[in-house]
Amino acid sequence: MSFEFSLPDVGEGLTEADLVSWKVAVGDTVTVNQILVEIETAKSLVELPSPQAGPIEALLVDEGQTIEVGTPIIRFGGGDPAGASEPAGASSPAAGDAQASSESAGEAEGGATLVGYGAKAASSKRRPRKGAGVPAPASSAAAPEAPAPAAPAPAAPAAPAVPAAPAAPVAAAPAEATAPATASAGKPLAKPPVRKLAKDLGIDLAAVVPTGSRGEVTRDDVKAAASGTGAAATAATGSNVGGATASAGAGSADGLEERIPFKGVAKMMAKAMVDSAFTMPHVTEFLDVDVTETMAFVRKLKSTKFLGEDIKVSPLLLVAKAVAWAVARNPRINSCLEGEEIVVKKYVNLGIAAATPRGLIVPNIKGAHTMGLTDLAQGIQDLTALARSGKTPPADQSGGTITITNVGVFGVDAGTPIINPGEAAILAFGQIRKKPWVVGDEIVPRDITTLSVSADHRVVDGEIISKFLADVGRGLEDPTLLLA
């Protein structure tokens, strides 16, 4: 008996995800909890484990496709799907934030899925489609939407697909079997996944010569048109300068353009930044700070290994400590606006903006206000390593209270950063450079940096912003204050 496994909601109200890479191939025999596939949600990369043991009969979705929760992605061959279910209450190991939601796993084609996967068994409705409201890295309200139509019943099992090549073990055009081709007046025949592919690649379906058995446009037809090898390539690209093909992630024919898919983490962060910039009245203040003593302290910590052999020490550690210290002296800066109330948070979940290959994310160190230098350094180190791997769980990106962005690492002196949604302030830390500085009555070379704070002027006024920024500066000028 075949069993189709559908894309589950791995947490945070997931409605869709991009399939990044398959970790198994057709014909493989897998075990329960073996990693099947890596997906990219709006916040991070997530590895999905197998809900059962048995042979892989077909991979139903191509790498690179965007799919909705509930879409079948893989089909298992003969085996005992019922033996794959975990004890009630067990949690799914899909990702650090893929928590079991106490929802019983539904069954498909007679096979049980892991507890915590998917919608409740009694529910046949899909989650609302993504629209005006996209979850921000920190908690923020999203506009309500009407629910999407109920998901169609799973397609009947098909014959096992054969992978196109050993290096890319994905069944040829598997997703096309999930929905019939439809046509309307003047509209070319093509299945929904093919239409989406054409849209992503900037291809006009009406200009593509169909080769499908029923006269429909296939994925291969669209790809051929995008690469310029199809019969309709000229028609599909005629509107582009120099005949360049508008293909996602590819360059133009003359090498003067590059098209990069705008989705996943990058798209979610862009939405969050637009929401922040146009809902919060930003005000930014700047302060030049003499951090000579901080740099001397950093060098001492490095040379003595005082915080531990494996702990990396950088100026960012002292900036993080100074921010937590200044928040304690100016608690209003660590707040947010919720409806008709200003919520002042008496804890610091310190966000560190991280540039990753998949886009900007802002994971945060929970309880930074309680940490000494050793724990804070370890927290920054762990957070950075996880962010670079692209696998920061959504929980680590939610609940932040104030953020630091280290623009100095890119050789930049200062900036006017946009506030992370759900917070009231963000501090930019510029590069540290030797500059002439007045000490007493003499001009001497000192290590100088520029700090800038953007804050929500609805929640905090200029006095609070100024005092907070001045206190961060004081802590970096004299780091002994941070150790009291």
Side-chain angles (χ1 to χ4, degrees), residues 232-255:
T234 301
T237 61
S239 62
N240 293 325
V241 176
T245 300
S247 57
S252 61
D254 54 10

Side-chain angles (χ1 to χ4, degrees), residues 46-66:
V46 177
E47 293 178 333
L48 296 183
S50 176
Q52 73 171 60
I56 303 300
E57 186 174 282
L59 306 180
L60 305 179
V61 178
D62 285 336
E63 292 181 349
Q65 278 192 265
T66 300

